[in-house]
Amino acid sequence: MKYCNMESGRRKGLSSVLSSLSLLCVVLDLQLDGVLGATPVEIEHHLEMGRKLLAAGQLAEALSHYHSAVEGDSKNYLTYYKRAAVFLAMGKSKSALPDLTRAIQLKPDFLAARLQRGNILLKQGSALEARQDFEAVLQRSPDQAEAREQLFRAEELEELQDEAHAAHTSGDYVRTVQILERVIEISPWDPESRELRADCYIRLGDSRKAIQDLTPAARLRTDNRAAFLKLSRLHYQLGEHQDSLSQVRECLKLDQDDKECFTHYKQVKKLSKQMDSAEDLIQEHRFQEAIDKYESAMRTEPNVPYYTSKAKERICHCLVQIKSSEDAVDACTEAHQLDPQNLHILKDRAEAYIQLQDYEKAVEDYQEAREFDQENQEIREGLERAQKLLKQSRKRDYYKILGVGRNANKQEITKAYRKLAQQWHPDNFQSEADKKEAEKKFIDIASAKEVLTDPEMRQKFDAGEDPLDPESGQGGGGQGGHWPFGFNPFESGGGGGNFHFKFTYN
């Protein structure tokens, strides 16, 4: 009885295992159907949908259907060819090439695929492989006009490539560039030709053209860290630190552990941060901090002339803004020596000269700036103002009369006035000649105080216009015959030049 029960249990267990195995086979069969292939109807559906979407210009959607068709039937050469056509329509020739090669492997006499592959190889600069494809087409179809024409171009490309490398090796970079013009016309997708021409431009001192060639070349290779690094260094040398930073980041995207790219990245990032920060400080009118930041930038990069020149230009500007006039002239002169045609430097130095009341030099700087840009409104207005100030200084300069700088505040002006007014008060002098001389100086001192303590009148004077205008009959020490400060120097008691002044300090 016990034996029967055990036998019955074994049978039930075996039955359960067989049942599970059957279910597993069904599941595996269903999964394999999805992996190994679709039905012919499904494949045809994908092909039809791909064709319609391609015709409608919906390339991504068409590609998705062609992917499904290839997965469903990996032995159909036409499916690969059609997917290659979509890749080409999307501008992805690198992706199209393996599909065309697979189509040719499945059907060696498929001339359309071989011709298309030859065209791609030719544009990529692979002249030998392209020539072999065109020759294969002509062997089976001697009258194929496109293949014959492209074969001629492939043979021409081979000869030109050899000539270009020979010229480059001999150091004839101008000739190399001339040859590569035609090479790149035939094979615009060839990174090697563009890199070779970029090298020639660098050796010829034309970094800008080198950048124009290296920019597409960097994208034409799967991993072109060397091109991205070279682009970054070229931008850096030109002073384009933000573009330099962008290019070296592209290098690090390909390999974040690339030592050369990472070392350069740290340098560019540090300098870029300093330069940008300095400009932000200038915008915030924090000029002394901006000066400190630019001095740090010059220490960070002392070997690239652009950054030294730029830093000195901006330091010159900041010193003018804080009215550190003598230091500004020195800084601007250094900057001018590095960049003689920089309008900003000439303008800022002219303003520093105006602050120092050296109007002749201010006029000279504005005139020099105008020679470089005659249409610049700011330069024209600055020149006119400097010329007015020069003309004015040859008559009466109220700042010089009081012995104060153009940036003196009202308190400093009043203090200087009081000291001079006491010194040159006519009552302090005995002889007639001395009194007349003192009278003249005293009137000038009073007029200077009147103009420079009145904001509106001072603004006019700073713009090159004398608000008391002695030539118009309003000058001589007052406006419209009204003498300020409670006195009239021409009042006399008794005659004979015996002056008695009523004088109060304001």
Side-chain angles (χ1 to χ4, degrees):
M1 184 71 176
K2 184 177 178 181
Y3 173 79
C4 289
N5 287 338
M6 289 176 65
E7 187 66 24
S8 174
R10 285 195 190 97
R11 287 176 181 174
K12 286 182 180 178
L14 182 60
S15 175
S16 177
V17 169
L18 290 173
S19 176
S20 296
L21 284 172
S22 298
L23 180 61
L24 179 62
C25 288
V26 171
V27 171
L28 286 172
D29 187 52
L30 289 171
Q31 289 178 341
L32 287 171
D33 277 346
V35 171
L36 297 178
T39 65
V41 173
E42 290 173 330
I43 293 170
E44 188 58 37
H45 169 72
H46 285 305
L47 290 172
E48 181 61 19
M49 287 299 298
R51 185 188 65 76
K52 288 180 179 179
L53 290 166
L54 178 61
Q58 296 175 260
L59 303 180
E61 293 83 351
L63 184 61
S64 177
H65 281 284
Y66 280 118
H67 282 327
S68 298
V70 168
E71 289 169 4
D73 184 2
S74 60
K75 301 296 183 182
N76 189 328
Y77 71 94
L78 273 176
T79 307
Y80 284 102
Y81 182 73
K82 289 174 182 178
R83 187 169 70 174
V86 179
F87 278 130
L88 288 172
M90 298 175 77
K92 297 180 177 181
S93 58
K94 286 182 182 178
S95 299
L97 209 53
D99 276 356
L100 291 170
T101 298
R102 182 59 178 153
I104 293 166
Q105 289 171 346
L106 292 169
K107 187 173 175 55
D109 63 347
F110 188 16
L111 301 187
R114 197 173 284 277
L115 182 60
Q116 190 67 271
R117 187 177 70 174
N119 287 335
I120 293 173
L121 291 168
L122 183 64
K123 288 185 177 181
Q124 291 181 343
S126 301
L128 175 61
E129 292 87 341
R131 177 164 58 80
Q132 289 171 346
D133 271 340
F134 298 136
E135 286 174 344
V137 172
L138 290 170
Q139 187 175 1
R140 292 177 179 273
S141 180
D143 297 328
Q144 225 292 344
E146 183 182 353
R148 188 166 298 282
E149 181 182 347
Q150 292 296 79
L151 176 60
F152 175 78
R153 289 162 66 88
E155 291 171 344
E156 180 188 4
L157 180 60
E158 281 186 280
E159 293 177 7
L160 290 171
Q161 287 173 334
D162 290 342
E163 286 181 34
H165 283 96
H168 184 266
T169 302
S170 68
D172 191 348
Y173 305 117
V174 173
R175 177 61 181 155
T176 307
V177 167
Q178 292 171 345
I179 297 168
L180 288 172
E181 290 292 334
R182 176 58 179 163
V183 170
I184 293 171
E185 183 183 338
I186 297 172
S187 53
W189 302 341
D190 177 20
E192 184 179 339
S193 296
R194 291 185 180 276
E195 288 166 357
L196 186 63
R197 189 167 67 173
D199 181 73
C200 292
Y201 282 134
I202 291 170
R203 293 173 185 273
L204 293 169
D206 195 338
S207 297
R208 189 66 61 193
K209 285 187 177 178
I211 288 172
Q212 290 174 357
D213 267 338
L214 282 173
T215 301
R219 304 288 179 182
L220 289 170
R221 293 190 194 275
T222 304
D223 180 358
N224 205 347
R225 283 172 287 161
F228 283 120
L229 180 58
K230 189 175 285 188
L231 273 170
S232 180
R233 285 174 172 165
L234 286 170
H235 281 298
Y236 186 79
Q237 292 292 326
L238 290 171
E240 297 163 353
H241 54 90
Q242 292 174 336
D243 289 330
S244 176
L245 197 58
S246 297
Q247 295 297 341
V248 76
R249 280 173 173 157
E250 291 298 322
C251 175
L252 291 173
K253 284 179 186 177
L254 295 170
D255 182 0
Q256 63 182 4
D257 296 322
D258 188 294
K259 289 183 179 179
E260 278 193 281
C261 286
F262 187 66
T263 300
H264 184 61
Y265 168 75
K266 287 192 295 183
Q267 170 71 7
V268 180
K269 186 180 180 182
K270 181 178 179 180
L271 181 67
S272 185
K273 185 177 180 181
Q274 289 172 331
M275 299 290 282
D276 291 341
S277 176
E279 283 304 306
D280 290 340
L281 289 167
I282 289 175
Q283 294 301 315
E284 296 168 10
H285 291 189
R286 295 159 64 185
F287 297 111
Q288 185 57 57
E289 292 175 73
I291 291 171
D292 296 340
K293 192 65 71 174
Y294 270 119
E295 287 175 345
S296 296
M298 285 192 287
R299 289 192 293 271
T300 298
E301 182 47 82
N303 300 318
V304 178
Y306 172 85
Y307 298 108
T308 301
S309 177
K310 183 66 176 178
K312 288 185 179 294
E313 173 201 328
R314 301 305 279 159
I315 289 171
C316 152
H317 174 74
C318 291
L319 289 168
V320 172
Q321 295 303 311
I322 62 176
K323 294 183 169 57
S324 184
S325 311
E326 291 183 359
D327 291 338
V329 168
D330 292 341
C332 294
T333 300
E334 286 185 38
H336 181 58
Q337 290 170 349
L338 295 172
D339 191 1
Q341 297 187 17
N342 189 310
L343 299 181
H344 301 294
I345 296 170
L346 287 167
K347 173 186 168 296
D348 281 326
R349 190 170 68 173
E351 290 302 312
Y353 281 133
I354 287 174
Q355 291 173 4
L356 293 169
Q357 301 179 37
D358 193 342
Y359 305 120
E360 288 187 13
K361 288 184 178 178
V363 168
E364 288 174 6
D365 272 353
Y366 270 124
Q367 285 176 334
E368 186 178 344
R370 190 178 62 173
E371 289 176 8
F372 298 129
D373 186 357
Q374 296 187 359
E375 303 301 319
N376 190 300
Q377 180 71 17
E378 193 175 3
I379 297 298
R380 186 162 59 248
E381 290 175 355
L383 176 59
E384 290 173 359
R385 181 165 56 86
Q387 288 171 332
K388 281 184 181 180
L389 289 168
L390 177 59
K391 182 179 179 182
Q392 181 188 86
S393 70
R394 289 169 178 168
K395 296 178 182 178
R396 264 196 318 186
D397 187 329
Y398 295 128
Y399 290 104
K400 283 186 178 180
I401 290 170
L402 293 183
V404 297
R406 295 188 77 87
N407 57 342
N409 58 37
K410 187 173 182 179
Q411 184 179 0
E412 292 169 332
I413 291 167
T414 302
K415 182 179 178 181
Y417 161 73
R418 285 175 177 169
K419 181 180 178 181
L420 291 169
Q422 286 178 334
Q423 179 184 345
W424 290 99
H425 194 289
D427 285 349
N428 295 334
F429 299 89
Q430 301 302 318
S431 72
E432 187 69 23
D434 288 344
K435 281 185 180 290
K436 285 186 179 292
E437 178 66 21
E439 175 193 330
K440 181 178 182 301
K441 285 186 177 291
F442 193 80
I443 290 170
D444 285 344
I445 292 164
S447 298
K449 194 249 186 185
E450 179 185 10
V451 170
L452 297 182
T453 55
D454 183 293
E456 186 177 345
M457 294 173 73
R458 184 175 180 178
Q459 185 177 7
K460 287 182 179 179
F461 184 75
D462 287 345
E465 175 187 347
D466 187 343
L468 302 184
D469 193 10
E471 292 184 352
S472 68
Q474 295 182 351
Q479 284 183 290
H482 172 70
W483 293 98
F485 321 124
F487 77 95
N488 184 338
F490 296 106
E491 288 181 352
S492 62
N498 192 15
F499 295 99
H500 300 280
F501 292 97
K502 180 183 177 183
F503 176 76
T504 58
Y505 293 109
N506 288 333

